[in-house]
Amino acid sequence: MPFVRNLPYLCIFLCMLSAILLSLGPKAKFAYWTAVCVSAVCAAASLLFLVHIAKSDTAFAFTMGKFPAPFGNEIKGGPLQGLFATVFSLVMCLCLLGGKTELFEDVDEKKMGLACVMLCMVLASLLVLSYTNDIFTGYVFVEIGTVAACALVMLKDSGPTLAATVRYLFLSLLGSGMFLFGVVLLYALTGHLLMPQLTAAVAALAGDSAQRPLLALSLGLMTAGLGVKSAMFPFHRWLPDAHSSATTTSSAVLSGLVVKGYAVLLVLLYVRVFTLDTVRSLRVNDAVFILGFAGMILGSVRAIYETHIKRMLAWSTVAQLGYVFMGFGLGTAEGVAAACFQILIHAFAKPLLFVSAGRLSAVSGHEKQLSALRGSAWRAPLAGLGFGVGALSMVGIPLFGGFAAKTGLGLGALDGGMKVAAALGGLALSSVLNALYYLPALINLWSERPAEAARPARDRCCTLSVLLLAAGVLALGLCFKPVMDLIVRGLELL
Amino acid sequence: MSSLRKWLDGEDAYPLRAEWTAPPSKKKRTRKTRADDRRQLEGFLRVYAVCAVVLCIGLILCLVLGALRLPAFASPGNPTDNEVVRRYVGSAEAETGAENVVAGMILNYRGFDTFGESCVLFVALCCVELLLWATKPALREEAAASRKEAPRDAILARVCTLAVPCVLVYGLCILFNGHLSPGGGFSGGAVLGAALILFAVAFGGERVRRFFTQRVFDAVRISGLLLYAVLFGVYVYLGANGIESGLARVLVQIIDVAVGLVVMSTMYGFYAFYTKGEL
Amino acid sequence: MLSLLVENRYAVTASVLFAVGFLHVLLHPDLIKKVLAFNIMDSSVFLLLASRGMIAARTAAILTDGGADPSRYVNPIPAGLVLTGIVVSVSVSAFSLALIQRLYGAYGTTDMRKILEEMKKRGE
């Protein structure tokens, strides 16, 4: 086996090892830069792996130990997993850079090491959720991700963040419970936990009409469990509080990455374990479609009424996750591919928006109300531009990534039978709704150039982060075709 | 219409959000609006409760109907009684050196899951530390207000002088025999942690701190987890690349002890942070 | 019907307990009770899992003098999975209790509704 195929496993272990070492209580700066370096190294290694695996056009199973499936744990590397891992680690690194100033203000100096432990663990959990080939490993790392994500919410140690954390934690626990119940039912039916064997067993059971209700129940419970954690309607109420009250880095990581990890595990379940044909015949995807549709509309409507910039962005996350679930709900390969693209583009665009908003509010005396941020873009023009790129991408203006995602979803919906009208109408309506809150906010930020001459202190890390994230949004929008081809190929090889 | 034109000319805020220009003042809140708020909240809670009850009844129905269709209970032909189980039982001793098949399974065959599990414990302790570690005076005051030191009890102290050594020996026994008999790192570590907590309750945390300082605590916890991570990492690398080594047979015994150390210090760590906000 | 219920008693009990825990996590305003309810929910899953590993007239999977004959021992996998589940559940309970301790320090109550009211009063 070529050495490059060890990279996914090495990335995972690097994250976990550095998390363990960071808990020794190092100096705040050292801990922060270690976390940045770890995520950057992971991004580089994952990119190397992605290039290798895309060139060789295969997927392979990597045994975690001496014993192959079905006896020992396994991870599986393919183009899609490599793509997710690269984007997740890169965005993690950029989120850390973008929120640096605020992170050092909000987190107690002595507790910075612990904060970085959580960030490394979140990255480890995201990587494992993309690569795993074992459903129970998936459960364990979903838990790690949940606990670490809750800790990220409460990094800014104040009453409201604690209350938001407790609500987030309890809803997540409901989700874990349902997911575990689903896993146990599936294990009782098939006797396996490794995905290759599960696939075969599920295919055999799907033909048996006596077992189909149980299969549907198990899949439904797992979908609901992961859905609660990634804020699927109607379990989205925790998200706006949790994501808006946290510090900038946490908000960006939570909104851009953490909720996506669970969605990626759902892709593995739908495409690899159950296969889309079975999912369609069990009719679980119809429920997901309806819930995704509802979330998409409701999130946007609620965002229109928000006057707090971070809450507006958080409600917009609910809406954007609605697109992802709608893509899953279509139950076709094109729909899932478009949902994967949406996951990627949102992983760039939402952190970009949060980092820009954090910078804009930092130069305006830490005000978060939109009314107080009037004209703030003139004080930090680059952050204003970054917010513009993110907002236009969310609305779905051509050349930006969001447009490509929406096009992909629309094209994917065309084979959807009954769902065509709903999907296309929903996309159109939701784009208009997105425009209704993003464009006014953008105009608000850029209007009324303030008179004062004093320029705020520079923030080089933030500048770099905004530039790279915006470049990512534009690159995904411009190179839509090759990325989409890679995703489609990755889904075939999954 | 006029407001829309104003907006287009850039003179006014967006009409739907007139409040942008004038942020709502907080003082206007009268008693009546507060009562309205409460009524609204109560209405919402009532709807929420009804929805939750309906959801739960639906859930019970689905789960019970599902449970009735499960493969027969305790029969040897179940789908779960398959070649994986036969391999684990049949070759665990030869392949992992553990007579306790469960220990062999969780620490070797499915060792990555168990590593993740130890990391959940580790992350949870870090979270507790993040929350309760009183680094600032304000936090210390808040902690002092919400905690009350329990009075020292003479009977408890007398019993504990006898009980704690026994519990310790018992815990060590479980820990070191985990691969041969019921027990292992998790249960042994929990018993050892309980012994430490019992000691702290009976004689006060200061007595524990004489030998179990922050530094010792960190060393035990981190070295246990690091030992696990490094050993298992090397094992995975060798195993996946097809390099032969004798590591598989000794893995279970070493990792069991490492897990025991982690669990013991984590259990005591939880207790110490809950009661004092520091170690 | 009744014989089916009796035969699947563990699975049925687990289902009912799961839903009871679920309802209380959603509805009970007291945070400590929510932690208890969550533990009930998790235990019910462990009950289901443990019952699936049971095979009549076999013993626990610790190879004693009988040697490695698979037809003498019950399924060891659920035991391992339950262990993992318990550790996860302990960790999460510890975390949530610490969180509740801090919330009690900040707002003087463990009732979520009162905490929300108090937050509104303070204008947070």
Side-chain angles (χ1 to χ4, degrees), chain B residues 127-161:
Chain B
C127 285
V128 172
E129 208 172 335
L130 204 53
L131 277 166
L132 297 178
W133 187 16
T135 46
K136 287 183 208 153
L139 264 176
R140 219 164 288 155
E141 272 166 35
E142 188 189 297
S146 61
R147 291 185 194 114
K148 263 188 225 134
E149 185 90 20
R152 204 60 45 75
D153 191 314
I155 299 174
L156 185 66
R158 193 77 207 131
V159 172
C160 281
T161 34

mmCIF file of all heavy atoms in Angstrom, chain B residues 127-161:
data_model
loop_
_atom_site.group_PDB
_atom_site.id
_atom_site.type_symbol
_atom_site.label_atom_id
_atom_site.label_comp_id
_atom_site.label_asym_id
_atom_site.label_seq_id
_atom_site.Cartn_x
_atom_site.Cartn_y
_atom_site.Cartn_z
ATOM 1 N N CYS B 127 -14.370 19.559 29.493
ATOM 2 C CA CYS B 127 -15.535 20.454 29.532
ATOM 3 C C CYS B 127 -15.823 20.870 30.966
ATOM 4 O O CYS B 127 -16.090 22.049 31.243
ATOM 5 C CB CYS B 127 -16.768 19.759 28.973
ATOM 6 S SG CYS B 127 -16.771 19.602 27.218
ATOM 7 N N VAL B 128 -15.789 19.897 31.878
ATOM 8 C CA VAL B 128 -16.068 20.204 33.274
ATOM 9 C C VAL B 128 -15.026 21.199 33.801
ATOM 10 O O VAL B 128 -15.346 22.156 34.506
ATOM 11 C CB VAL B 128 -16.079 18.910 34.112
ATOM 12 C CG1 VAL B 128 -16.165 19.219 35.584
ATOM 13 C CG2 VAL B 128 -17.246 18.044 33.704
ATOM 14 N N GLU B 129 -13.784 20.984 33.397
ATOM 15 C CA GLU B 129 -12.707 21.870 33.818
ATOM 16 C C GLU B 129 -12.954 23.278 33.267
ATOM 17 O O GLU B 129 -12.803 24.277 33.967
ATOM 18 C CB GLU B 129 -11.390 21.310 33.283
ATOM 19 C CG GLU B 129 -10.182 21.662 34.104
ATOM 20 C CD GLU B 129 -8.952 20.921 33.617
ATOM 21 O OE1 GLU B 129 -9.108 19.844 33.015
ATOM 22 O OE2 GLU B 129 -7.847 21.434 33.808
ATOM 23 N N LEU B 130 -13.356 23.317 31.990
ATOM 24 C CA LEU B 130 -13.638 24.595 31.336
ATOM 25 C C LEU B 130 -14.737 25.345 32.073
ATOM 26 O O LEU B 130 -14.700 26.566 32.217
ATOM 27 C CB LEU B 130 -14.080 24.283 29.901
ATOM 28 C CG LEU B 130 -13.947 25.306 28.797
ATOM 29 C CD1 LEU B 130 -12.539 25.819 28.732
ATOM 30 C CD2 LEU B 130 -14.311 24.671 27.480
ATOM 31 N N LEU B 131 -15.730 24.585 32.581
ATOM 32 C CA LEU B 131 -16.869 25.222 33.240
ATOM 33 C C LEU B 131 -16.574 25.596 34.683
ATOM 34 O O LEU B 131 -16.917 26.681 35.132
ATOM 35 C CB LEU B 131 -18.057 24.260 33.235
ATOM 36 C CG LEU B 131 -18.898 24.228 31.986
ATOM 37 C CD1 LEU B 131 -19.787 23.009 32.014
ATOM 38 C CD2 LEU B 131 -19.733 25.474 31.896
ATOM 39 N N LEU B 132 -15.949 24.675 35.422
ATOM 40 C CA LEU B 132 -15.909 24.841 36.872
ATOM 41 C C LEU B 132 -14.558 25.265 37.429
ATOM 42 O O LEU B 132 -14.455 25.602 38.599
ATOM 43 C CB LEU B 132 -16.327 23.531 37.552
ATOM 44 C CG LEU B 132 -17.745 23.070 37.272
ATOM 45 C CD1 LEU B 132 -18.006 21.759 37.953
ATOM 46 C CD2 LEU B 132 -18.749 24.097 37.743
ATOM 47 N N TRP B 133 -13.530 25.247 36.612
ATOM 48 C CA TRP B 133 -12.217 25.631 37.102
ATOM 49 C C TRP B 133 -12.252 27.113 37.457
ATOM 50 O O TRP B 133 -12.421 27.972 36.585
ATOM 51 C CB TRP B 133 -11.162 25.352 36.039
ATOM 52 C CG TRP B 133 -9.770 25.560 36.486
ATOM 53 C CD1 TRP B 133 -9.322 25.673 37.754
ATOM 54 C CD2 TRP B 133 -8.632 25.691 35.631
ATOM 55 N NE1 TRP B 133 -7.960 25.852 37.765
ATOM 56 C CE2 TRP B 133 -7.510 25.871 36.484
ATOM 57 C CE3 TRP B 133 -8.431 25.656 34.262
ATOM 58 C CZ2 TRP B 133 -6.225 26.019 35.980
ATOM 59 C CZ3 TRP B 133 -7.159 25.814 33.764
ATOM 60 C CH2 TRP B 133 -6.054 25.987 34.620
ATOM 61 N N ALA B 134 -12.115 27.435 38.747
ATOM 62 C CA ALA B 134 -12.295 28.812 39.197
ATOM 63 C C ALA B 134 -11.005 29.584 39.011
ATOM 64 O O ALA B 134 -10.185 29.700 39.916
ATOM 65 C CB ALA B 134 -12.732 28.820 40.655
ATOM 66 N N THR B 135 -10.794 30.122 37.820
ATOM 67 C CA THR B 135 -9.569 30.881 37.565
ATOM 68 C C THR B 135 -9.723 32.336 37.964
ATOM 69 O O THR B 135 -8.756 33.011 38.241
ATOM 70 C CB THR B 135 -9.190 30.826 36.085
ATOM 71 O OG1 THR B 135 -10.366 31.070 35.326
ATOM 72 C CG2 THR B 135 -8.610 29.483 35.708
ATOM 73 N N LYS B 136 -10.968 32.826 37.943
ATOM 74 C CA LYS B 136 -11.175 34.255 38.260
ATOM 75 C C LYS B 136 -11.838 34.370 39.636
ATOM 76 O O LYS B 136 -12.583 33.487 40.032
ATOM 77 C CB LYS B 136 -12.099 34.878 37.221
ATOM 78 C CG LYS B 136 -11.442 35.083 35.882
ATOM 79 C CD LYS B 136 -12.431 35.783 34.947
ATOM 80 C CE LYS B 136 -12.162 35.438 33.513
ATOM 81 N NZ LYS B 136 -13.361 35.524 32.692
ATOM 82 N N PRO B 137 -11.588 35.473 40.346
ATOM 83 C CA PRO B 137 -12.209 35.652 41.663
ATOM 84 C C PRO B 137 -13.738 35.602 41.603
ATOM 85 O O PRO B 137 -14.370 35.027 42.494
ATOM 86 C CB PRO B 137 -11.730 37.037 42.114
ATOM 87 C CG PRO B 137 -10.684 37.454 41.171
ATOM 88 C CD PRO B 137 -10.655 36.545 40.009
ATOM 89 N N ALA B 138 -14.315 36.161 40.528
ATOM 90 C CA ALA B 138 -15.773 36.176 40.417
ATOM 91 C C ALA B 138 -16.315 34.756 40.404
ATOM 92 O O ALA B 138 -17.310 34.424 41.058
ATOM 93 C CB ALA B 138 -16.182 36.912 39.151
ATOM 94 N N LEU B 139 -15.617 33.905 39.638
ATOM 95 C CA LEU B 139 -16.043 32.503 39.546
ATOM 96 C C LEU B 139 -15.930 31.824 40.901
ATOM 97 O O LEU B 139 -16.773 31.019 41.282
ATOM 98 C CB LEU B 139 -15.147 31.764 38.563
ATOM 99 C CG LEU B 139 -15.657 31.631 37.140
ATOM 100 C CD1 LEU B 139 -14.618 30.956 36.282
ATOM 101 C CD2 LEU B 139 -16.933 30.826 37.135
ATOM 102 N N ARG B 140 -14.858 32.186 41.632
ATOM 103 C CA ARG B 140 -14.640 31.535 42.916
ATOM 104 C C ARG B 140 -15.756 31.899 43.897
ATOM 105 O O ARG B 140 -16.246 31.066 44.645
ATOM 106 C CB ARG B 140 -13.271 31.959 43.464
ATOM 107 C CG ARG B 140 -12.528 30.823 44.136
ATOM 108 C CD ARG B 140 -11.068 31.137 44.306
ATOM 109 N NE ARG B 140 -10.339 31.097 43.046
ATOM 110 C CZ ARG B 140 -9.222 31.767 42.824
ATOM 111 N NH1 ARG B 140 -8.734 32.561 43.747
ATOM 112 N NH2 ARG B 140 -8.601 31.664 41.668
ATOM 113 N N GLU B 141 -16.157 33.175 43.842
ATOM 114 C CA GLU B 141 -17.250 33.605 44.722
ATOM 115 C C GLU B 141 -18.546 32.883 44.379
ATOM 116 O O GLU B 141 -19.247 32.385 45.262
ATOM 117 C CB GLU B 141 -17.470 35.114 44.584
ATOM 118 C CG GLU B 141 -16.607 35.927 45.516
ATOM 119 C CD GLU B 141 -16.598 37.389 45.103
ATOM 120 O OE1 GLU B 141 -17.641 37.870 44.625
ATOM 121 O OE2 GLU B 141 -15.547 38.027 45.249
ATOM 122 N N GLU B 142 -18.809 32.831 43.076
ATOM 123 C CA GLU B 142 -20.037 32.170 42.636
ATOM 124 C C GLU B 142 -20.034 30.717 43.104
ATOM 125 O O GLU B 142 -21.034 30.199 43.593
ATOM 126 C CB GLU B 142 -20.111 32.246 41.106
ATOM 127 C CG GLU B 142 -21.418 31.774 40.524
ATOM 128 C CD GLU B 142 -21.340 31.672 39.015
ATOM 129 O OE1 GLU B 142 -21.141 32.710 38.355
ATOM 130 O OE2 GLU B 142 -21.458 30.554 38.495
ATOM 131 N N ALA B 143 -18.855 30.088 42.978
ATOM 132 C CA ALA B 143 -18.748 28.683 43.369
ATOM 133 C C ALA B 143 -18.958 28.529 44.870
ATOM 134 O O ALA B 143 -19.684 27.639 45.319
ATOM 135 C CB ALA B 143 -17.383 28.140 42.966
ATOM 136 N N ALA B 144 -18.358 29.436 45.639
ATOM 137 C CA ALA B 144 -18.470 29.334 47.096
ATOM 138 C C ALA B 144 -19.919 29.510 47.536
ATOM 139 O O ALA B 144 -20.378 28.877 48.487
ATOM 140 C CB ALA B 144 -17.578 30.378 47.755
ATOM 141 N N ALA B 145 -20.658 30.382 46.829
ATOM 142 C CA ALA B 145 -22.047 30.618 47.199
ATOM 143 C C ALA B 145 -22.925 29.405 46.927
ATOM 144 O O ALA B 145 -23.888 29.160 47.649
ATOM 145 C CB ALA B 145 -22.580 31.835 46.447
ATOM 146 N N SER B 146 -22.597 28.653 45.875
ATOM 147 C CA SER B 146 -23.495 27.561 45.515
ATOM 148 C C SER B 146 -23.068 26.213 46.110
ATOM 149 O O SER B 146 -23.754 25.229 45.950
ATOM 150 C CB SER B 146 -23.609 27.441 44.000
ATOM 151 O OG SER B 146 -22.353 27.156 43.452
ATOM 152 N N ARG B 147 -21.921 26.181 46.761
ATOM 153 C CA ARG B 147 -21.489 24.898 47.353
ATOM 154 C C ARG B 147 -21.415 25.020 48.861
ATOM 155 O O ARG B 147 -21.049 26.051 49.393
ATOM 156 C CB ARG B 147 -20.087 24.542 46.843
ATOM 157 C CG ARG B 147 -20.035 24.198 45.407
ATOM 158 C CD ARG B 147 -18.636 23.752 45.070
ATOM 159 N NE ARG B 147 -18.496 23.728 43.625
ATOM 160 C CZ ARG B 147 -17.694 24.525 42.941
ATOM 161 N NH1 ARG B 147 -16.941 25.391 43.574
ATOM 162 N NH2 ARG B 147 -17.620 24.454 41.644
ATOM 163 N N LYS B 148 -21.731 23.909 49.508
ATOM 164 C CA LYS B 148 -21.579 23.882 50.961
ATOM 165 C C LYS B 148 -20.702 22.701 51.336
ATOM 166 O O LYS B 148 -20.936 21.578 50.891
ATOM 167 C CB LYS B 148 -22.950 23.747 51.623
ATOM 168 C CG LYS B 148 -23.503 25.087 52.059
ATOM 169 C CD LYS B 148 -24.764 24.885 52.879
ATOM 170 C CE LYS B 148 -25.832 25.851 52.440
ATOM 171 N NZ LYS B 148 -27.127 25.257 52.262
ATOM 172 N N GLU B 149 -19.682 22.961 52.134
ATOM 173 C CA GLU B 149 -18.813 21.865 52.584
ATOM 174 C C GLU B 149 -19.584 20.984 53.560
ATOM 175 O O GLU B 149 -20.185 21.482 54.518
ATOM 176 C CB GLU B 149 -17.578 22.460 53.259
ATOM 177 C CG GLU B 149 -16.540 21.441 53.664
ATOM 178 C CD GLU B 149 -15.523 21.192 52.565
ATOM 179 O OE1 GLU B 149 -15.395 22.058 51.673
ATOM 180 O OE2 GLU B 149 -14.875 20.152 52.602
ATOM 181 N N ALA B 150 -19.587 19.674 53.318
ATOM 182 C CA ALA B 150 -20.273 18.769 54.240
ATOM 183 C C ALA B 150 -19.437 18.634 55.510
ATOM 184 O O ALA B 150 -18.211 18.618 55.446
ATOM 185 C CB ALA B 150 -20.448 17.409 53.584
ATOM 186 N N PRO B 151 -20.084 18.564 56.683
ATOM 187 C CA PRO B 151 -19.305 18.420 57.924
ATOM 188 C C PRO B 151 -18.583 17.069 57.945
ATOM 189 O O PRO B 151 -19.101 16.065 57.451
ATOM 190 C CB PRO B 151 -20.371 18.502 59.017
ATOM 191 C CG PRO B 151 -21.648 18.140 58.340
ATOM 192 C CD PRO B 151 -21.520 18.577 56.929
ATOM 193 N N ARG B 152 -17.387 17.092 58.496
ATOM 194 C CA ARG B 152 -16.600 15.868 58.609
ATOM 195 C C ARG B 152 -17.311 14.913 59.571
ATOM 196 O O ARG B 152 -17.853 15.324 60.597
ATOM 197 C CB ARG B 152 -15.219 16.242 59.142
ATOM 198 C CG ARG B 152 -14.096 15.320 58.845
ATOM 199 C CD ARG B 152 -13.810 15.111 57.359
ATOM 200 N NE ARG B 152 -13.783 16.293 56.522
ATOM 201 C CZ ARG B 152 -12.803 17.172 56.498
ATOM 202 N NH1 ARG B 152 -11.761 17.056 57.284
ATOM 203 N NH2 ARG B 152 -12.828 18.188 55.678
ATOM 204 N N ASP B 153 -17.338 13.628 59.244
ATOM 205 C CA ASP B 153 -18.101 12.660 60.044
ATOM 206 C C ASP B 153 -17.147 11.624 60.636
ATOM 207 O O ASP B 153 -16.385 10.980 59.914
ATOM 208 C CB ASP B 153 -19.127 11.982 59.136
ATOM 209 C CG ASP B 153 -20.120 11.163 59.919
ATOM 210 O OD1 ASP B 153 -19.713 10.411 60.819
ATOM 211 O OD2 ASP B 153 -21.306 11.270 59.607
ATOM 212 N N ALA B 154 -17.195 11.472 61.961
ATOM 213 C CA ALA B 154 -16.242 10.582 62.626
ATOM 214 C C ALA B 154 -16.476 9.117 62.263
ATOM 215 O O ALA B 154 -15.532 8.357 62.047
ATOM 216 C CB ALA B 154 -16.348 10.757 64.139
ATOM 217 N N ILE B 155 -17.772 8.739 62.172
ATOM 218 C CA ILE B 155 -18.079 7.341 61.859
ATOM 219 C C ILE B 155 -17.566 6.996 60.466
ATOM 220 O O ILE B 155 -16.915 5.970 60.239
ATOM 221 C CB ILE B 155 -19.596 7.094 61.940
ATOM 222 C CG1 ILE B 155 -20.089 7.394 63.353
ATOM 223 C CG2 ILE B 155 -19.935 5.668 61.542
ATOM 224 C CD1 ILE B 155 -21.579 7.330 63.502
ATOM 225 N N LEU B 156 -17.862 7.934 59.540
ATOM 226 C CA LEU B 156 -17.433 7.708 58.156
ATOM 227 C C LEU B 156 -15.915 7.544 58.098
ATOM 228 O O LEU B 156 -15.396 6.619 57.452
ATOM 229 C CB LEU B 156 -17.878 8.900 57.300
ATOM 230 C CG LEU B 156 -17.613 8.749 55.810
ATOM 231 C CD1 LEU B 156 -18.450 7.634 55.227
ATOM 232 C CD2 LEU B 156 -17.888 10.047 55.086
ATOM 233 N N ALA B 157 -15.201 8.422 58.807
ATOM 234 C CA ALA B 157 -13.745 8.367 58.768
ATOM 235 C C ALA B 157 -13.241 7.026 59.302
ATOM 236 O O ALA B 157 -12.341 6.410 58.731
ATOM 237 C CB ALA B 157 -13.164 9.510 59.595
ATOM 238 N N ARG B 158 -13.870 6.576 60.393
ATOM 239 C CA ARG B 158 -13.448 5.304 60.995
ATOM 240 C C ARG B 158 -13.667 4.150 60.015
ATOM 241 O O ARG B 158 -12.784 3.306 59.814
ATOM 242 C CB ARG B 158 -14.281 5.097 62.280
ATOM 243 C CG ARG B 158 -13.792 4.016 63.179
ATOM 244 C CD ARG B 158 -12.569 4.464 63.980
ATOM 245 N NE ARG B 158 -11.763 3.317 64.336
ATOM 246 C CZ ARG B 158 -10.456 3.227 64.166
ATOM 247 N NH1 ARG B 158 -9.791 4.228 63.645
ATOM 248 N NH2 ARG B 158 -9.793 2.155 64.520
ATOM 249 N N VAL B 159 -14.886 4.138 59.404
ATOM 250 C CA VAL B 159 -15.200 3.051 58.462
ATOM 251 C C VAL B 159 -14.262 3.108 57.272
ATOM 252 O O VAL B 159 -13.786 2.081 56.780
ATOM 253 C CB VAL B 159 -16.674 3.153 58.009
ATOM 254 C CG1 VAL B 159 -16.953 2.168 56.893
ATOM 255 C CG2 VAL B 159 -17.597 2.906 59.179
ATOM 256 N N CYS B 160 -13.963 4.337 56.839
ATOM 257 C CA CYS B 160 -13.178 4.463 55.616
ATOM 258 C C CYS B 160 -11.746 4.014 55.805
ATOM 259 O O CYS B 160 -11.122 3.524 54.861
ATOM 260 C CB CYS B 160 -13.212 5.894 55.104
ATOM 261 S SG CYS B 160 -14.741 6.208 54.245
ATOM 262 N N THR B 161 -11.188 4.173 57.018
ATOM 263 C CA THR B 161 -9.826 3.673 57.217
ATOM 264 C C THR B 161 -9.773 2.177 56.923
ATOM 265 O O THR B 161 -8.763 1.671 56.449
ATOM 266 C CB THR B 161 -9.352 3.898 58.663
ATOM 267 O OG1 THR B 161 -10.473 3.760 59.526
ATOM 268 C CG2 THR B 161 -8.731 5.254 58.845
#
